[in-house]
């Protein structure tokens, strides 16, 4: 069995009933495993067995249901036998997105033309009905109204009538076509076969125009709701400068970049793909990916993200991830996946929408016979029935949840928060306890030079460093020279501790020198020469092996740093021990504030770490975490989360490592750091692109805002129908007003959802 997932674009769904009808038919199709359909975006994500069924078979099946579909290539899904994975690229996705966008724009234009035709024709009907006195007035109005129904209102009849009479599954178009059709047929009968002056051509024409106007405005608004993915696609670079020789480059399209290519990035250019700086340094604007407005300094060896912007200097990078593997492509994929999945609250809407249209039809029949039997006459009975059919709006109900999810997940992406499932966006605001991994989650996940002690400034060192004799209060120059020499020796080291020393020198703007005779001993240390000065850095054991006399005072300081949970390196200059370096995995700048904000929301904070209690408690104390569970294995983390859930806690797990993956999967909401491992990111429900804990707090607030928005939409959709339908049934509503109200109800739901685009953290 070859399991394949592909996306399809369905261009003509008009209400939640459409979604249910397509899903039901697809579920009966052999080879189709699952279908997720989003009414708000018009997209379907379908999992199927490619040995049994083809995409064209699926398209034909959707067409038999009464809707138009075609394959959306930019998200070709996860094909287990895909062999050309590296050939996937953002550009092809962007090109297809532009193609789809052009098709959508064409559909919107068609709706606009229909609205214009209907509006002009309706004005003519009004003039004939109230101002002009023409011969064969009734016939002229009949012809004009027929033209409106054939052009402006054609889709109502083409989709609505077969759904009722051929399939027994009425939808929104059924209600409109029944209402408008009844008014038109009754009026035509009176004009052609009786002398009765009663006709409702104006009503039929204006109702059709109003409803098409509503669909035009709704389509425009829905397009605005889904701008997040369009903006992400627009971010991608189009070309790159590939280095082909000494001082030579060639300009190539980004899709021709291969892993390992050396690329020159000039000032002001977009970085073409994900990679690592191999020569130079830069200040890079990563706001479009991480949501952070402050540019980030990058140096040799730092990773860079494709489509972010290089600010001020040229640098050379090595391509590491291309095409569909880049951060931007993964962001687009995750946003689209989130928009495809359905939130649990939609199940209630599904149940209601399954019965809604039939309920309205029954109420309209009761309205007709009720008024007719009450002696109101057939004309009034028909017009009141039309009002009932037209005022009902399953569209508002069907849009209420998915449109908020689309806007909310898109807003999250712009803030550097990738929501993989609609369900997690709905759940996040319920969190009562947050469990954190330590390394890479609360801390930076890499050692940082926090302290150093240079024991003395011996006179012989002045000559070695080519500086004049200094007084004790003037030894800054000597200190900088020592750091310069240490970092220069460590420059090419792959060891995290060595890299931390080099990074410290870069941060202090200390330039490095050329070292020679470098020798490294795994697990012990490194030595080398700068000019004729010999530098040695490593463990106490390394110094002992090299016959270097240790200093008792420095040993005391080393023990003190060790007690604080820090790693200690010793260094010697020209055969004599001169000082120590203390390194530690320090907490992220945002961790303390994030924990404080969570506590303000009465959310319990718990650290789960495999590290020792001393280190864990020290970090927890600094950031304010109230409970620490140290020395835990991955399976113990899952047990702790299970226990919390059994004690009625709604648990979020925040982590970044392979050891966090089981806990992320078990938690009510798994929050993965985007800076962590691929396994952790796959296991999480929400991904924080920059690995910033404050974004977890933002995700909770965004969840609250989105869920509040959904409830507002559902409230107004329910209230609208609960009030509107009875009012129309009692004859208190003109059909034309019903049409306007119905159109406005759908638009108001979309406009309310669009308010989420203005979401700001309080």
């Amino acid at each position: 069995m070859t399991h394949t997932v592909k996306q399809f674009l369905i261009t003509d769904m008009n209400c939640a009933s459409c979604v249910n009808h397509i899903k039901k038919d697809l579920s009966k199709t052999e080879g189709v495993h699952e279908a997720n359909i989003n009414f708000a975006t018009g997209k379907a994500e379908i999992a199927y067995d490619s040995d049994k069924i083809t995409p064209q078979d699926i398209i034909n099946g959707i067409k038999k249901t009464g809707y138009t579909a075609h394959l959306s290539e930019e998200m070709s899904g996860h094909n287990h036998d895909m062999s050309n994975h590296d050939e996937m690229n953002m550009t092809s996705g962007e090109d297809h997105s532009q193609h789809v966008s052009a098709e959508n724009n064409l559909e919107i234009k068609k709706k606009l033309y229909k609205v214009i035709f209907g509006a002009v024709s309706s004005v003519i009907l009004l003039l004939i009905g109230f101002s002009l006195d023409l011969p064969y007035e009734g016939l002229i109005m009949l012809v004009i109204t027929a033209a409106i129904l054939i052009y402006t209102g054609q889709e109502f009849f083409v989709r609505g009538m077969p759904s009722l009479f051929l399939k027994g599954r009425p939808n929104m178009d059924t209600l409109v076509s029944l209402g408008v059709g009844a008014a038109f047929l009754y009026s035509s009968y009176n004009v052609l076969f009786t002398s009765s002056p009663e006709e409702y051509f104006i009503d039929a024409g204006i109702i059709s125009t109003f409803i098409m106007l509503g669909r035009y405005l709704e389509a425009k608004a829905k397009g605005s709701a889904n701008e997040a993915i369009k903006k992400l696609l627009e971010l991608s670079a189009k070309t790159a400068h590939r280095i082909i020789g000494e001082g030579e480059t060639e300009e190539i399209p980004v899709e021709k970049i291969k892993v390992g290519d050396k690329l020159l990035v000039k000032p002001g250019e977009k970085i073409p793909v994900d990679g690592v700086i191999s020569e130079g340094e830069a200040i890079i604007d990563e706001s479009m990916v991480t949501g952070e407005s402050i540019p980030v300094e990058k140096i040799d060896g730092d990773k860079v993200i494709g489509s972010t912007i290089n600010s001020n200097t040229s640098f050379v990078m090595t391509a590491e991830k291309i095409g569909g593997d880049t951060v931007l492509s993964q962001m687009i994929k995750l946003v689209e996946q989130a928009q495809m999945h359905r939130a649990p609250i939609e199940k209630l809407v599904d149940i209601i929408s399954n019965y809604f249209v039939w309920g309205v039809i029954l109420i309209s029949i009761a309205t007709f016979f009720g008024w007719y039997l009450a002696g109101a006459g057939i004309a009034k009975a028909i017009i009141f029935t039309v009002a009932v059919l037209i005022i009902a709006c399953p569209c508002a109900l069907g849009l209420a949840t998915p449109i908020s999810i689309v806007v909310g997940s898109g807003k999250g992406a712009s803030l550097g928060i990738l929501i993989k499932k609609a369900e997690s966006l709905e759940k996040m605001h319920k969190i009562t306890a947050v469990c954190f991994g330590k390394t890479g989650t609360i801390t930076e996940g890499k050692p940082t030079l926090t302290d150093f002690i240079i024991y003395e400034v011996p006179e012989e060192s002045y000559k070695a460093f080519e500086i004049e004799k200094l007084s004790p209060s003037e030894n800054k120059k000597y200190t900088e020279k020592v750091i310069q020499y240490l970092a220069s020796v460590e420059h090419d080291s792959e060891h995290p501790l060595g890299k931390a020393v080099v990074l410290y020198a870069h941060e202090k703007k200390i330039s490095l020198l050329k070292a020679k005779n470098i020798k490294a001993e795994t697990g012990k240390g490194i030595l080398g020469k700068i000019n004729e000065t010999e530098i040695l850095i490593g463990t106490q054991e390394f110094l002992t092996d090299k016959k270097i006399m240790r200093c008792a005072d420095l040993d005391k300081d080393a023990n003190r740093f060790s007690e604080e949970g820090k790693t200690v390196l010793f260094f010697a200059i020209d055969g004599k021990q001169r000082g120590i370096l203390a390194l530690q995995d320090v907490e992220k700048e945002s961790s303390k504030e994030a924990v404080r904000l969570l506590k303000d929301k009465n959310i319990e904070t718990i650290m789960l770490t495999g590290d020792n209690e001393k280190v864990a408690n020290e970090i927890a104390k600094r950031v304010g975490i109230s409970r620490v569970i140290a020395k835990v294995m991955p399976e113990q983390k899952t047990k702790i989360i299970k226990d919390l859930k059994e004690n009625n806690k709604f648990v979020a797990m925040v982590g970044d490592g392979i050891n966090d993956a089981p806990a992320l999967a078990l938690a009510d909401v798994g929050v993965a750091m985007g800076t962590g491992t691929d396994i952790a990111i796959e296991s999480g429900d929400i991904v924080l692109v920059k690995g910033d804990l404050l974004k977890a707090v933002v995700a909770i607030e965004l969840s609250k805002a989105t869920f509040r928005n959904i409830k507002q939409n559902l409230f107004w959709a329910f209230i609208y129908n609960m009030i509107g339908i009875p009012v129309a049934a009692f004859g208190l509503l003109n059909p034309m007003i019903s049409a306007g109200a119905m159109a406005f109800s759908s638009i108001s739901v979309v406009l309310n959802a669009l308010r989420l685009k203005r979401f700001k953290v309080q």
Side-chain angles (χ1 to χ4, degrees):
M1 182 178 75
T2 305
H3 184 78
T4 306
V5 179
K6 289 187 183 290
Q7 277 199 6
F8 297 79
L9 191 68
I10 304 174
T11 56
D12 45 11
M13 294 185 294
N14 291 312
C15 65
S17 300
C18 303
V19 173
N20 293 329
H21 295 164
I22 296 170
K23 285 189 71 173
K24 281 182 180 178
D25 284 354
L26 286 173
S27 67
K28 298 173 185 176
T29 304
E30 185 181 2
V32 174
H33 304 308
E34 184 181 8
N36 287 309
I37 302 172
N38 190 308
F39 174 40
T41 60
K43 285 184 178 180
E45 186 178 81
I46 300 172
Y48 62 96
D49 182 354
S50 58
D51 292 335
K52 294 183 178 179
I53 193 170
T54 67
Q56 190 58 48
D57 293 332
I58 293 172
I59 290 170
N60 292 339
I62 294 172
K63 285 182 178 178
K64 286 179 183 178
T65 305
Y67 304 89
T68 305
H70 60 259
L71 194 61
S72 180
E73 287 292 345
E74 85 272 18
M75 278 287 293
S76 55
H78 183 64
N79 188 338
H80 287 188
D81 63 356
M82 186 182 293
S83 57
N84 296 322
H85 181 263
D86 288 340
E87 294 179 14
M88 293 173 63
N89 59 72
M90 288 182 293
T91 304
S92 62
E94 183 177 0
D95 290 343
H96 182 78
S97 178
Q98 289 171 349
H99 171 67
V100 171
S101 179
E103 285 198 0
N104 287 338
N105 289 336
L106 181 61
E107 288 297 317
I108 291 172
K109 280 185 179 179
K110 285 180 180 178
K111 282 182 169 57
L112 177 60
Y113 297 150
K114 290 178 179 180
V115 170
I116 292 171
F117 178 83
V120 171
S121 301
S122 295
V123 169
I124 294 171
L125 286 175
L126 285 168
L127 290 173
I128 293 173
F130 294 103
S131 299
L132 303 177
D133 187 12
L134 299 175
Y136 305 108
E137 183 177 289
L139 283 174
I140 295 172
M141 294 179 74
L142 186 155
V143 171
I144 293 172
T145 306
I148 294 174
L149 300 188
I150 291 170
Y151 181 60
T152 301
Q154 180 187 38
E155 65 185 59
F156 309 144
F157 294 91
V158 170
R159 296 172 194 161
M161 290 303 184
S163 293
L164 176 62
F165 295 111
L166 298 182
K167 299 179 180 179
R169 298 187 308 201
N171 55 27
M172 179 66 207
D173 287 321
T174 304
L175 299 181
V176 175
S177 56
L178 283 175
V180 173
F184 177 74
L185 290 175
Y186 177 73
S187 302
S188 299
Y189 176 80
N190 282 344
V191 166
L192 295 173
F193 302 109
T194 73
S195 57
S196 171
E198 289 180 335
E199 51 80 14
Y200 298 99
F201 292 124
I202 294 175
D203 299 72
I206 291 178
I207 287 169
S208 299
T209 303
F210 259 139
I211 295 172
M212 185 53 64
L213 174 63
R215 291 193 178 175
Y216 164 73
L217 294 174
E218 182 185 309
K220 290 273 288 183
K222 280 162 64 176
S224 177
N226 205 26
E227 279 178 359
I229 290 176
K230 295 177 190 173
K231 287 182 178 178
L232 287 174
L233 284 165
E234 289 167 1
L235 292 176
S236 58
K238 306 296 186 296
T239 60
H241 306 290
R242 181 163 61 192
I243 297 174
I244 56 175
E246 190 66 36
E248 289 186 70
T249 62
E250 62 174 346
E251 188 170 313
I252 58 170
V254 291
E255 62 265 26
K256 290 189 177 181
I257 297 172
K258 297 177 181 177
V259 173
D261 280 351
K262 298 287 185 182
L263 308 171
L264 175 66
V265 184
K266 299 177 181 180
E269 288 186 340
K270 290 181 178 179
I271 296 168
V273 292
D274 296 0
V276 63
I277 294 178
S278 49
E279 293 178 34
E281 54 187 44
I283 297 175
I284 297 174
D285 178 1
E286 296 183 336
S287 59
M288 66 282 294
V289 174
T290 65
E292 296 295 326
S293 58
I294 300 173
V296 182
E297 291 188 33
K298 301 278 185 176
I299 61 172
D300 190 4
D302 281 347
K303 292 187 179 295
V304 290
I305 302 172
S307 303
T308 57
I309 300 172
N310 178 29
S311 297
N312 58 349
T313 57
S314 295
F315 64 88
V316 176
M317 64 172 286
T318 303
E320 289 189 334
K321 292 183 178 179
I322 60 174
D325 293 329
T326 62
V327 169
L328 183 65
S329 291
Q330 293 303 309
M331 285 181 68
I332 293 166
K333 180 179 178 181
L334 291 178
V335 172
E336 289 199 317
Q337 284 179 343
Q339 294 178 350
M340 290 307 310
H341 286 88
R342 296 162 64 77
I345 198 171
E346 285 191 76
K347 293 176 182 177
L348 172 64
V349 178
D350 283 348
I351 294 169
I352 293 171
S353 61
N354 280 335
Y355 300 102
F356 182 85
V357 178
W358 278 117
V360 172
I361 291 173
L362 291 175
I363 292 171
S364 66
I365 292 171
T367 300
F368 175 81
F369 284 107
W371 283 102
Y372 180 72
L373 295 174
I378 192 169
K380 277 192 175 182
I382 287 177
I383 208 65
F384 294 155
T385 300
V386 170
V388 170
L389 291 167
I390 298 301
I391 193 68
C393 190
C395 294
L397 287 173
L399 274 173
T401 300
I403 198 70
S404 296
I405 295 294
V406 167
V407 181
S409 58
K411 182 63 180 179
S414 71
L415 295 170
I417 302 166
L418 299 182
I419 296 146
K420 294 169 66 176
K421 299 176 184 176
E423 183 178 0
S424 56
L425 184 58
E426 183 181 326
K427 281 182 175 180
M428 194 67 183
H429 73 281
K430 301 176 184 176
I431 296 299
T432 57
V434 178
C435 296
F436 302 97
K438 180 181 73 69
T439 306
T441 301
I442 295 169
T443 66
E444 293 286 355
K446 58 185 179 182
T448 299
L449 181 59
T450 57
D451 309 90
F452 62 84
I453 293 175
I454 297 177
Y455 184 58
E456 58 182 29
V457 187
E459 288 192 19
E460 61 265 28
S461 294
Y462 303 147
K463 184 178 180 181
F465 292 121
E466 298 176 351
I467 58 177
E468 61 188 45
K469 186 172 182 178
L470 302 168
S471 66
S473 61
E474 296 175 327
N475 66 359
K476 180 182 177 184
K477 188 174 181 181
Y478 174 79
T479 301
E480 289 183 350
K481 276 288 183 180
V482 171
I483 295 296
Q484 181 186 46
Y485 276 42
L486 296 176
S488 297
V489 170
E490 293 278 18
H491 179 258
D492 293 323
S493 172
E494 290 299 316
H495 196 285
L497 298 178
K499 288 183 175 181
V501 176
V502 175
L503 180 61
Y504 181 84
H506 276 298
E507 289 174 347
K508 297 300 180 183
K509 309 295 184 186
I510 298 173
S511 60
L512 302 186
L513 304 172
K514 182 68 177 177
K516 59 184 179 181
N517 301 334
I518 299 293
K519 293 179 183 178
E521 293 187 21
T522 305
K524 291 184 177 181
I526 190 170
L527 57 84
K529 279 190 174 183
I530 296 177
N531 299 324
E532 296 305 315
T533 302
E534 186 178 77
I535 305 294
L536 181 147
I537 316 163
T539 63
Q540 285 184 339
E541 182 186 359
F542 190 50
L543 267 66
T544 301
D545 289 348
K546 300 304 177 185
K547 312 299 185 190
I548 293 172
M549 184 72 70
R550 282 168 41 195
C551 171
D553 287 340
L554 286 176
D555 282 350
K556 289 179 183 178
D557 289 318
N559 290 333
R560 175 169 57 86
F561 287 137
S562 295
E563 286 291 317
E564 294 173 1
K566 298 178 181 179
T567 301
V568 180
L569 291 178
F570 297 78
F571 65 87
I573 300 171
D574 285 334
K576 293 184 179 180
Q577 185 175 357
R578 293 304 185 200
I580 56 176
L581 306 174
L583 302 99
Q584 188 178 41
D585 183 10
V586 298
E587 65 271 17
K588 296 175 181 177
E589 289 183 13
S590 61
S591 294
K592 186 175 182 179
E593 178 65 7
V595 171
R596 184 190 67 79
L597 290 171
L598 290 172
K599 284 186 171 182
D600 288 347
K601 299 177 187 296
N602 294 317
I603 295 173
E604 184 181 359
T605 55
I606 305 161
M607 181 195 289
L608 306 179
T609 178
D611 212 336
N612 65 70
E613 291 182 5
K614 186 184 294 182
V615 173
N617 285 321
E618 180 66 26
I619 295 291
K621 181 181 177 182
R622 290 207 294 265
V623 300
I625 289 177
S626 51
R627 183 181 172 194
V628 177
I629 305 175
K631 293 184 177 179
V632 291
M633 301 298 288
E635 59 271 19
Q636 291 174 304
K637 290 184 180 182
T638 58
K639 185 181 184 305
I640 291 164
I641 288 175
K642 186 177 179 181
D643 290 343
L644 287 168
K645 292 171 72 173
E646 287 176 354
N647 287 315
N648 298 317
K649 294 285 187 180
F650 206 85
V651 185
M653 174 68 197
V654 187
D656 83 321
I658 293 173
N659 60 334
D660 293 322
L664 287 167
L666 181 64
D668 292 299
V669 181
V671 181
M673 298 306 223
T675 50
T677 64
D678 290 342
I679 293 176
I681 292 171
E682 283 296 318
S683 301
D685 304 309
I686 292 174
V687 179
L688 310 180
V689 175
K690 196 182 177 185
D692 182 352
L693 271 186
L694 275 174
K695 297 295 185 181
V697 182
V698 175
I700 292 173
E701 291 299 317
L702 179 61
S703 171
K704 285 182 180 178
T706 303
F707 194 66
R708 183 167 58 245
N709 193 272
I710 289 170
K711 289 195 290 186
Q712 290 167 352
N713 284 346
L714 288 173
F715 173 79
W716 288 113
F718 278 117
I719 289 296
Y720 164 82
N721 283 291
M722 287 175 65
I723 294 175
I725 292 173
V727 168
F730 282 106
L732 302 175
L733 212 55
N734 183 283
M736 286 187 286
I737 296 174
S738 295
M742 188 272 282
F744 178 74
S745 67
S746 293
I747 297 166
S748 64
V749 164
V750 178
L751 293 178
N752 185 52
L754 288 175
R755 292 193 305 115
L756 283 171
K757 296 175 85 171
R758 300 197 299 271
F759 166 80
K760 290 182 181 178
V761 184
Q762 300 300 318

